[in-house]
Amino acid sequence: MMRYSLFGESHGSCIGIVLNGLPSGLMLDMEQVMQEMKRRAPGGSLISTARSESDVPEIVSGLFQGKTTGAPLCALIRNTDARSKSYEDIRWLARPGHADYAGYVRYAGCNDYRGGGHFSGRLTAPLVFAGAVAKQILREKGVDVYAHIRELAGISDTSIDRAHPDLSALAAVAGKSFPTLDETVGKAMQNAVISARSEGDSLGGIIECLITGIPAGFGSPDFGENAEGVLAQYLFAVPAVKGLEFGAGFEMARMRGSQANDAFYTDDSGSVLTRTNHNGGINGGITNGMPLVFSVVIKPTPSIACEQDTVDLRTGESVKIRVGGRHDPCILPRAVPVIEAAAALASLELMS
């Protein structure tokens, strides 16, 4: 079973990941890895942070002559464009929406406050590296992971047909500068982000993800191996995720059983399928052979230029704060490959 451990801080010398349990002999396609890394990398568009990082992973162990050795695979990603001075003036002010206060209490004030330290979304870069490795293993098993921005600023993209998804359209999203199925909708979303940024504010939204190719029978109704639980554990490791639903999710609260139930049938090849997929491919914590479909809520970027209330951690005094520096007005476009990565890692664990 593959396990990973993230290390480093946003403004430290590097960030990275160690992967344990990788099979030996896997021919790692670094070109595909870099394609995934570029999707998440900062500085790639007018609506992302101005911080510019190449995010090229340096593999320091576990790979020899292009193949995994079976030893822990360790990759470093250098931080080359950090500007820590931006955080000196607000060192003792807990930024609303961030983990500053919680981390200060948890680690007795010893946590790295620059850019959020280990709590930063910067740590999703090595997560994407791990996900890129997982995707290559999954592809050999006939499993693929796709995602897109489902909603942003109340603007909705084309919905995925959960029972009969258009996989070619979903695959094309990875090659787009803005990850939506409908490009016209994508432009409207980008305009909304630009408008929020001009007001010193930020936006959140919803990312929808689909995993295809996982057969029926993986998972358990109990703790630890429950299919929804395994996915949730990985997804909530992404700092900005604040909500999760499978299939129709909260929409089921407005359905009757006759509408929410997925009727079974046998296709021409003898496979048991369902005509709808409101349950997102999981029943009783176990995969049922249909595509696994879920959506996650991504909160608005907490670092905003608007004046906000906070406290001085040294004195407990109520003060005002304005967060400077370079920040994404909306992290959804860069979060899409992160969610795919988390889903890929969870899928590997589920199938192990």
Side-chain angles (χ1 to χ4, degrees), residues 236 240-245 250 295-298:
F236 280 112
V241 171
K242 300 303 289 184
L244 169 64
E245 66 176 5
F250 289 99
S295 295
V296 293
V297 174
I298 303 292

Side-chain angles (χ1 to χ4, degrees), residues 75-89:
L76 303 178
I77 299 171
R78 303 289 176 181
N79 290 325
T80 61
D81 191 31
R83 298 180 187 175
S84 302
K85 189 177 184 300
S86 303
Y87 295 92
E88 289 302 323
D89 293 340

Side-chain angles (χ1 to χ4, degrees), residues 214-220 227 281-290 292 350-351:
I214 297 183
F218 287 100
S220 167
I282 301 171
N283 294 124
I286 302 170
T287 60
N288 63 19
M290 293 296 288
L292 271 61
L350 189 61
M351 296 179 71

Side-chain angles (χ1 to χ4, degrees), residues 316-328:
E317 179 186 3
S318 296
V319 294
K320 300 289 185 181
I321 185 174
R322 286 184 183 273
V323 180
R326 302 165 297 171
H327 309 283
D328 296 80

Side-chain angles (χ1 to χ4, degrees), residues 59-71:
I59 298 180
V60 297
S61 71
L63 193 71
F64 182 64
Q65 296 181 337
K67 294 181 180 180
T68 54
T69 64

Side-chain angles (χ1 to χ4, degrees), residues 158-288:
T158 302
S159 297
I160 293 177
D161 185 328
R162 292 187 286 261
H164 307 285
D166 185 342
L167 299 184
S168 61
L170 284 165
V173 170
K176 296 181 179 181
S177 58
F178 195 83
T180 54
L181 292 164
D182 187 320
E183 294 186 6
T184 301
V185 167
K187 290 178 181 178
M189 290 180 177
Q190 291 177 74
N191 289 335
V193 174
I194 292 170
S195 177
R197 182 180 62 182
S198 69
E199 298 170 6
D201 219 330
S202 64
L203 294 172
I206 299 173
I207 293 174
E208 185 176 36
C209 185
L210 179 141
I211 307 166
T212 184
I214 297 183
F218 287 100
S220 167
D222 303 316
F223 295 108
E225 297 179 0
N226 180 286
E228 287 122 328
V230 171
L231 280 159
Q233 183 177 11
Y234 280 85
L235 292 165
F236 280 112
V238 179
V241 171
K242 300 303 289 184
L244 169 64
E245 66 176 5
F246 290 91
F250 289 99
E251 184 184 339
M252 283 189 168
R254 296 180 290 274
M255 294 180 176
R256 292 188 173 190
S258 57
Q259 298 169 310
N261 290 344
D262 300 310
F264 289 100
Y265 74 99
T266 304
D267 69 5
D268 295 337
S269 67
S271 298
V272 176
L273 303 173
T274 59
R275 299 195 183 280
T276 55
N277 192 15
H278 298 312
N279 288 275
I282 301 171
N283 294 124
I286 302 170
T287 60
N288 63 19

Side-chain angles (χ1 to χ4, degrees), residues 43-68:
S45 75
L46 294 175
I47 60 171
S48 77
T49 173
R51 180 172 177 172
S52 181
E53 299 281 3
S54 61
D55 282 356
V56 177
E58 301 173 29
I59 298 180
V60 297
S61 71
L63 193 71
F64 182 64
Q65 296 181 337
K67 294 181 180 180
T68 54

